[in-house]
Each structure stands twice: as structure tokens, then as C-alpha cells.
Amino acid sequence: MRQETNEQQIVEAVLNGRSEGQEAKVCRYAERVFAMVVRQVPDVMDAQELTQDTFLRAFSHIGSYDASKALLSTWLCRIAYRLTLDFLKRRRPVIVSIENSQEWQRDISDEQLEAELSTGREERIEQLMEVVDDLPDDERMLLTMYYFEDRPLTEIAYITGIDAKALANRLYRTRKKLCKELRDKS
């Protein structure tokens, strides 16, 4: 199948059981799916397996793909997101959220958040990465998709199945939690 094959041609080829459609789909999107998964799952072998599982699930459910709702790559990331969260829930111990604490809920302006979280000092960046690693899986994945992958909230909403406005609120709350944790480490 030619490199410039469009998404609809790939979907049709997979629907018709043609191996070149599956090959084109994997070649075009595997790197993006793997990059999303490996940011959440530190073991490369687990990330590769989750990526493979994503494509197997996509091949078996290709009939449910709706091009009017999302790009094929976004649909694949939605599958990867769900598989990765399930994997992490099985593997990771339960973390008590600091949302139960009332102190983080005091109002912090966007400017204060940006100043606190965007400092370029190397030690501060290391602290930030530690705090991010300690977040619950869904919050860490939200930050990853929004900041590291530069995905718009509408695309993240499709991937996660959560309303974009609710995601914006969750992103704000998560940033406030990060800010509080960083202050506590200082």
C-alpha cells in the first residue's frame, strides 16, 4: 500500500481483511501510540505489549470506528489510553489523593501556578517530575497528553471519554496539586 494512503483506505482495507491495510495502519500509527504508552509505563516491554494490544483490539473493533468523531490516530490513542489505565490499575498500588486535603483547594491564580510550575531550574524540574510520577494514573496521563503531546482538550476529551470542560477543571486542579506538592518539597 502506498505511503500516501488515506485513513479511509486503511480502514476499508482492514475491514476487508487485507493484510496491507493492517500493515499500513501499524506503520503509520505505531510510533505515536507507543510514545503515548511508554510515557506512562516505564517498562519498555510492557509498553510494547500494550501497543500491540492496542492494534489487536483496533483490528477486531474496526467496524466501530467513526471517522466523523475522530481521526484514526485519535481513536487508536483512545484504545491505548484505556488499555494503559487498566494495566496501571492492575500494577500500581492505590495512591491516596491529596484532593482530600483542603489546603490545596485555596485559590491560586493562573499566574501563580505558571510561575511555580514553569521555573527552569534543574532541581525544580526534577522535583516536578517526581511529583508528576506520584500522581494518580489518570491525572498523569492528562498532563502528558496536554503538555508533552500538545493535544487539544477536545481530542483528550475524545480519548478519555470525559467532557472537555470537566477536563479543563481537572487540569487546573491537578496543576494546583502539583504547585502545593512543590511548595511542600521546598
Side-chain angles (χ1 to χ4, degrees):
M1 201 167 257
R2 293 187 344 249
Q3 179 70 16
E4 59 272 356
T5 303
N6 71 32
E7 287 189 343
Q8 189 56 41
Q9 290 171 318
I10 293 172
V11 171
E12 287 173 15
V14 173
L15 279 169
N16 293 325
R18 296 196 323 257
S19 62
E20 68 269 12
Q22 293 178 355
E23 184 180 316
K25 186 176 177 181
V26 172
C27 287
R28 184 176 287 183
Y29 303 112
E31 190 175 312
R32 184 170 190 181
V33 170
F34 178 76
M36 181 182 143
V37 173
V38 80
R39 284 187 185 107
Q40 306 305 318
V41 180
D43 183 68
V44 174
M45 296 296 283
D46 288 336
Q48 288 172 337
E49 187 174 326
L50 285 165
T51 300
Q52 183 177 15
D53 291 348
T54 297
F55 284 96
L56 292 173
R57 177 133 338 145
F59 293 143
S60 64
H61 293 91
I62 193 71
S64 67
Y65 170 65
D66 183 352
S68 68
K69 290 186 179 179
L71 295 172
L72 186 57
S73 60
T74 304
W75 182 72
L76 289 167
C77 286
R78 180 180 182 147
I79 294 169
Y81 170 82
R82 290 181 175 164
L83 289 173
T84 303
L85 271 185
D86 288 345
F87 173 83
L88 292 170
K89 286 177 187 174
R90 290 189 310 269
R91 295 284 205 140
R92 194 174 238 205
V94 176
I95 296 174
V96 177
S97 174
I98 64 171
E99 284 189 19
N100 298 335
S101 165
Q102 291 298 315
E103 182 168 331
W104 75 269
Q105 294 181 9
R106 65 182 156 72
D107 206 20
I108 299 173
S109 72
D110 283 336
E111 293 79 21
Q112 289 171 310
L113 279 173
E114 280 302 318
E116 189 70 29
L117 296 177
S118 65
T119 181
R121 291 190 343 249
E122 192 169 319
E123 77 178 45
R124 190 58 153 189
I125 292 170
E126 286 177 27
Q127 289 174 337
L128 181 60
M129 295 310 290
E130 287 174 19
V131 173
V132 169
D133 287 343
D134 291 339
L135 287 172
D137 300 327
D138 59 334
E139 291 177 355
R140 191 176 66 255
M141 289 183 80
L142 172 61
L143 288 174
T144 298
M145 287 187 280
Y146 189 76
Y147 288 107
F148 295 108
E149 297 177 5
D150 272 339
R151 293 179 188 266
L153 281 176
T154 52
E155 187 175 327
I156 298 170
Y158 178 81
I159 291 169
T160 61
I162 300 171
D163 178 71
K165 288 182 182 178
L167 280 175
N169 288 334
R170 184 177 289 179
L171 186 61
Y172 179 73
R173 287 193 322 267
T174 302
R175 290 174 62 202
K176 283 175 64 172
K177 285 178 14 180
L178 287 174
C179 185
K180 183 202 178 305
E181 285 293 312
L182 286 172
R183 285 181 180 168
D184 289 350
K185 285 186 180 266
S186 296

